Amino acid sequence: MAQKVIGLIGGLSWESSAEYYRILNEAVRARLGGLHSARILMWSFDFAEIEALQHDGRWDEATKLMIDAARRLERGGADFVLVASNTMHRMAGDVQAAIDIPLLHIADPTAERIRAAGVTRVGLLGTAFTMEQDFYKGRLASEHGLKVLVPDEADRAAVHRIIYDELVQGRVEPSSREIYRAVMARLVERGAEAIILGCTEIMLLVGAEDSTVPLYDTTTIHAEAAVERALSEG
């Protein structure tokens, strides 16, 4: 059976893209054994350009760049596309409309795994854009029936700052891990039965041992779902 070609839009940041690359290849090897690895095409952005557009609110310009990246992957022979970022799923619908191959949305396999575990009330950590705008939590609610809790304003600011000032720059600070632990604990106190790590770099900072409820790492779940699709016959 020939593997489908995974088109990966990365560099959002490259730290999480490297994790995607590792997980995709490890998952294929686990499934197929031997020297097998994933068939991947990657378009990798200069994240400084993307970050500037994000924080200036220039989402239309960012959308054009994302569409260009997806089209490059399609022309290169990708069978479907992954956006290696939760935040940049803000323009997932526009990207999907511009290409003729599927886009595997990061929220869908995450929500499916959560619902399969019988969880309906989840906390969401991510960038301020992901936590505060509706493109992500709205999809979790409307399409998957999840009740989504986000941290309060001060906690959202701390979570966002640590992502951009530290994690996307490859810095993993123990003091920031303690901050995230406290934020997650407050979400649990409010009724969260699980926590979505809704930024692809957060898995670099915290793991299961840092929470009293299950953590759902979107990076790993998204990559594993991509391998399922790549190895499927349909």
Side-chain angles (χ1 to χ4, degrees), residues 157-171:
V159 168
H160 182 89
R161 176 189 61 76
I162 289 165
I163 290 169
Y164 279 92
D165 291 354
E166 298 173 16
L167 298 180
V168 300
Q169 299 181 46
R171 291 173 51 204

Side-chain angles (χ1 to χ4, degrees), residues 11-174:
L12 300 165
S13 65
W14 72 257
E15 279 84 358
S16 62
S17 301
E19 293 300 315
Y20 267 91
Y21 189 78
R22 176 184 61 79
I23 296 164
L24 289 167
N25 283 292
E26 287 180 349
V28 168
R29 183 171 60 190
R31 287 280 298 275
L32 301 182
L35 299 178
H36 285 288
S37 57
R39 300 176 69 197
I40 304 170
L41 287 174
M42 181 189 290
W43 172 261
S44 189
F45 282 105
D46 175 355
F47 187 56
E49 297 174 2
I50 299 297
E51 186 274 340
L53 295 177
Q54 289 176 341
H55 283 93
D56 289 345
R58 293 154 63 191
W59 294 106
D60 288 347
E61 293 176 57
T63 297
K64 291 176 182 178
L65 292 177
M66 292 290 288
I67 288 171
D68 176 69
R71 286 174 170 167
R72 288 172 185 266
L73 292 171
E74 183 175 27
R75 291 196 301 268
D79 292 299
F80 63 97
V81 170
L82 301 188
V83 176
S85 160
N86 287 273
T87 297
M88 298 305 279
H89 277 74
R90 188 183 194 277
M91 59 279 294
D94 291 323
V95 173
Q96 179 64 90
I99 57 177
D100 294 323
I101 57 176
L103 183 150
L104 178 57
H105 198 292
I106 195 169
D108 295 339
T110 300
E112 288 162 9
R113 193 170 296 190
I114 289 168
R115 290 306 302 262
V119 172
T120 59
R121 192 175 179 89
V122 294
L124 174 64
L125 301 182
T127 66
F129 315 114
T130 299
M131 292 186 289
E132 295 172 4
Q133 298 176 19
D134 198 53
F135 68 91
Y136 194 92
K137 60 187 180 182
R139 187 182 186 96
L140 293 172
S142 64
E143 298 199 16
H144 299 282
L146 295 176
K147 171 67 175 178
V148 182
L149 305 174
V150 297
D152 65 21
E153 184 176 0
D155 282 351
R156 292 198 305 272
V159 168
H160 182 89
R161 176 189 61 76
I162 289 165
I163 290 169
Y164 279 92
D165 291 354
E166 298 173 16
L167 298 180
V168 300
Q169 299 181 46
R171 291 173 51 204
V172 178
E173 303 288 350

